[in-house]
Amino acid sequence: MLLELRDLHVNYGNVEALHGINLSVNEGEIVTILGANGAGKSTTLNSICGLVKATKGEILLDGEPIHSVPAHNIVKMGISQSPEGRRVFSTLTVEENMDLGAFTMKDSAKIERNREWIYDLFPRLLERRTQLAGTLSGGEQQMLAIGRALMSSPRLLLLDEPSLGLAPILVKSIFETIRKINKHGLTVILVEQNARAALKLADRGYVMEVGNIVLADDAKSLLSNPEIQSAYLGGKGL
Amino acid sequence: MEEFFQQLTNGLAVGGIYALIALGYTMVYGVLKLINFAHGDLFTIGAFLGLTLLTSLGLTDSVGPVAGLLVLAVMVVVLVGVVGYLLERIAYRPLRTSPRLSAVVSALGASIFFQNAIMLIWGARPLVYPHGLLPNITVDIFGVELPLIRIIMFAISVLLMCGLYYLTHKTRIGTAIRAAAIDQGAAKLMGIDVNRVISLVFMIGPALGGAAGVMVGLYYGQINFTMGWLYGLKAFTAAILGGIGNIPGAMLGGLLLGVVESLGAAYISIAWKDAISFLVLILILIVRPTGLLGERVADKV
């Protein structure tokens, strides 16, 4: 098992946002987390990255606890996130954003290999590499956020709402790229509002409601689960 | 024409000082969105430390004036950098998650603390830098006789600014500083230790301010424990003028303010010198609150 969350609790001030969640991810999987706004999906990803601290429970990477590791050291352990809302560094160039993705890397040959692979995945970024990131379109910024996260050679990639606000055609291509990234050997945790597309892509899925995991199953079973269909897939079956 | 050229170069020399101090305000504002009101006093500390080291070590006698002043400047820069580091650790870091106002009050408190500490250590009377450290010669440029020290001062400011620009825009750690200024959370996701970046900014800014303090001591000859207040306000004006948070903006704002002030003093009235500076502040706040180079790119949502 690559990553395991055990009875994870997270508080924001006095309010508990995660009420003890259990979640596991195997090497090579795509795992999706579904749920409405405020269910705790982003909080879960941010606690894995160390941006928010667990008040109780454990986060294990390869069986080793990482929940007390500061956020800036998590990247070196092979976990990288493309955050919700993309959060590219808007007044820096595309190339500078990419370089920052490799901030923890020492091996320059490897950095260049990563860069080449990422520009291969997203040729648009190569075209726009001298532009300021803030001048990119939403879809291009999403590509940059994912590309930047890939620069650190992660084993585990966390994607928070990569399709949010994108045109349908771009959504499709982003999902195809996620599949390619997974085929390349990366394990992926995908948080998505676009539940149908996410479940089609994923191996397994978790469903969150107000800080709890209420359902965990194979992606296929979730797709055909009537409750999931009515709550997240717009009522109708496939 | 001669008068104009004299005033222009004087303005550039003084503007260089403003720019060096303004960089400290703007860099700290960039990463913490905090106006470090104690920054002007760090500049004063630089001036006083410079004088003490100058008179006690006798460096200019043992290794010559140029090398001596250079060694002195390096020592002051390091020492004031350390003071800046401690200031952040003691007065600002514990308040990092508190409301913004707490940190501002802490900054004002730190300023009062520094001013009184300087007064207690060095006394309330103005002190005088030794005369004749640098040969009092003039250089002929385009038929105008300019004091050598003015040219050296301007050159050093520009050199330091180029160095800082190189650091922030061409190096890995500089890119990390700019990234932390844009989005601390995202910077952490890149593996950047944001606390270390903030510490670094609190060493670089005060170090530049300290260097400016020594230069003012050498240029005007006289220093006193409250000088940081006025210079601090002027430099703050310069930082706003250029666009607070923007590094090239602080450089441009400083030089521009120096020139405007110097020309205003010469052609309008010397008594109005400070008023002119703050008129610039008021005008820029009314007409272009983001400053000359502020907010070049809008965030896409």
Side-chain angles (χ1 to χ4, degrees):
Chain A
M1 199 175 300
L2 181 62
L3 183 82
E4 191 179 5
L5 312 188
R6 281 191 198 154
D7 189 32
L8 188 73
H9 292 252
V10 169
N11 283 33
Y12 290 118
N14 293 324
V15 183
E16 191 171 75
L18 297 182
H19 312 297
I21 65 167
N22 292 287
L23 182 151
S24 65
V25 181
N26 297 312
E27 189 106 46
E29 271 187 320
I30 299 180
V31 169
T32 185
I33 303 175
L34 308 176
N37 280 333
K41 307 180 304 280
S42 296
T43 302
T44 305
L45 294 193
N46 285 339
S47 63
I48 296 170
C49 290
L51 283 180
V52 293
K53 289 293 165 204
T55 39
K56 201 181 147 211
E58 289 182 304
I59 303 174
L60 306 171
L61 180 69
D62 293 324
E64 297 289 321
I66 60 164
H67 45 270
S68 43
V69 175
H72 60 266
N73 286 334
I74 292 286
V75 187
K76 277 181 239 165
M77 308 180 110
I79 300 177
S80 168
Q81 187 187 165
S82 160
E84 185 179 11
R86 310 184 275 260
R87 290 171 75 171
V88 295
F89 299 108
S90 56
T91 52
L92 305 188
T93 64
V94 168
E95 188 87 358
E96 283 171 330
N97 271 273
M98 295 279 283
D99 288 339
L100 283 165
F103 185 77
T104 54
M105 302 261 294
K106 300 265 186 293
D107 181 351
S108 56
K110 197 166 184 191
I111 294 175
E112 288 321 307
R113 273 204 306 280
N114 288 351
R115 200 192 301 275
E116 221 165 278
W117 174 54
I118 293 159
Y119 282 149
D120 208 44
L121 283 175
F122 302 111
R124 286 301 276 278
L125 293 182
L126 182 62
E127 286 168 35
R128 307 218 180 273
R129 42 190 264 273
T130 56
Q131 254 177 261
L132 297 184
T135 65
L136 300 181
S137 73
E140 289 163 347
Q141 286 191 9
Q142 187 59 60
M143 295 174 195
L144 179 56
I146 297 175
R148 183 179 68 174
L150 290 173
M151 281 296 281
S152 61
S153 299
R155 298 163 61 200
L156 174 61
L157 178 66
L158 313 182
L159 298 171
D160 200 346
E161 306 272 10
S163 76
L164 194 70
L166 300 188
I169 179 104
L170 276 175
V171 173
K172 210 171 160 217
S173 102
I174 288 273
F175 274 88
E176 265 161 32
T177 309
I178 296 170
R179 190 188 298 279
K180 274 192 216 164
I181 291 167
N182 177 245
K183 287 272 182 300
H184 196 78
L186 275 82
T187 309
V188 176
I189 302 181
L190 173 64
V191 162
E192 258 298 333
Q193 297 270 350
N194 192 339
R196 188 186 305 275
L199 285 172
K200 279 185 185 165
L201 182 67
D203 299 299
R204 292 188 301 118
Y206 289 85
V207 179
M208 289 188 80
E209 270 171 25
V210 287
N212 289 300
I213 286 180
V214 292
L215 197 56
D217 210 339
D218 287 340
K220 277 206 181 68
S221 321
L222 286 174
L223 263 176
S224 54
N225 181 324
E227 273 177 59
I228 299 299
Q229 285 179 357
S230 69
Y232 299 102
L233 302 175
K236 291 227 159 185
L238 296 169
Chain B
M1 195 62 210
E2 152 110 38
E3 159 84 358
F4 174 78
F5 202 62
Q6 289 288 355
Q7 291 303 335
L8 181 71
T9 51
N10 184 48
L12 286 174
V14 177
I17 302 280
Y18 291 160
L20 287 182
I21 309 172
L23 284 167
Y25 281 110
T26 227
M27 287 179 75
V28 165
Y29 184 84
V31 290
L32 285 185
K33 303 290 171 280
L34 165 79
I35 301 297
N36 176 16
F37 284 106
H39 187 59
D41 303 293
L42 294 168
F43 154 85
T44 314
I45 291 176
F48 277 87
L49 276 177
L51 178 61
T52 299
L53 292 172
L54 190 63
T55 48
S56 61
L57 298 182
L59 279 168
T60 47
D61 298 329
S62 52
V63 292
V66 175
L69 287 178
L70 215 60
V71 174
L72 178 86
V74 171
M75 290 167 76
V76 169
V77 159
V78 171
L79 287 172
V80 179
V82 170
V83 176
Y85 171 82
L86 292 174
L87 168 68
E88 192 270 331
R89 288 307 289 259
I90 295 165
Y92 301 142
R93 189 166 298 187
L95 298 170
R96 189 76 58 76
T97 53
S98 314
R100 187 71 47 82
L101 192 60
S102 311
V104 172
V105 172
S106 185
L108 288 167
S111 170
I112 294 168
F113 169 81
F114 279 132
Q115 239 180 64
N116 285 278
I118 297 164
M119 187 188 71
L120 290 171
I121 295 170
W122 282 285
R125 286 189 205 179
L127 298 181
V128 179
Y129 264 62
H131 285 291
L133 283 173
L134 288 168
N136 193 11
I137 48 175
T138 58
V139 186
D140 189 306
I141 294 179
F142 307 126
V144 184
E145 297 284 321
L146 296 176
L148 180 65
I149 181 162
R150 192 184 287 171
I151 295 165
I152 292 175
M153 248 177 60
F154 181 63
I156 291 176
S157 320
V158 170
L159 211 67
L160 286 173
M161 286 188 259
C162 289
L164 183 74
Y165 187 84
Y166 180 83
L167 177 81
T168 51
H169 285 73
K170 303 287 171 201
T171 67
R172 225 169 63 97
I173 189 69
T175 314
I177 291 175
R178 288 186 295 144
I182 299 167
D183 184 338
Q184 290 196 10
K188 284 181 192 165
L189 287 180
M190 303 297 109
I192 296 167
D193 185 345
V194 171
N195 274 333
R196 271 183 57 194
V197 166
I198 290 168
S199 286
L200 186 67
V201 164
F202 265 94
M203 289 190 277
I204 296 172
L208 293 174
V214 177
M215 282 158 66
V216 163
L218 289 170
Y219 192 54
Y220 291 110
Q222 194 180 323
I223 59 176
N224 68 72
F225 75 101
T226 56
M227 67 195 267
W229 192 77
L230 189 58
Y231 274 94
L233 267 182
K234 294 273 181 72
F236 178 56
T237 304
I240 302 270
L241 178 60
I244 189 115
N246 184 308
I247 288 170
M251 302 177 183
L252 178 71
L255 293 174
L256 214 57
L257 187 72
V259 169
V260 168
E261 189 185 277
S262 179
L263 293 179
Y267 293 108
I268 300 170
S269 157
I270 188 134
W272 284 79
K273 188 177 129 213
D274 296 338
I276 290 165
S277 288
F278 298 122
L279 192 66
V280 169
L281 175 64
I282 293 166
L283 285 179
I284 197 81
L285 286 175
I286 293 170
V287 178
R288 199 177 155 85
T290 55
L292 296 174
L293 302 184
E295 305 228 339
R296 282 179 308 165
V297 180
D299 278 312
K300 203 160 250 155
V301 185

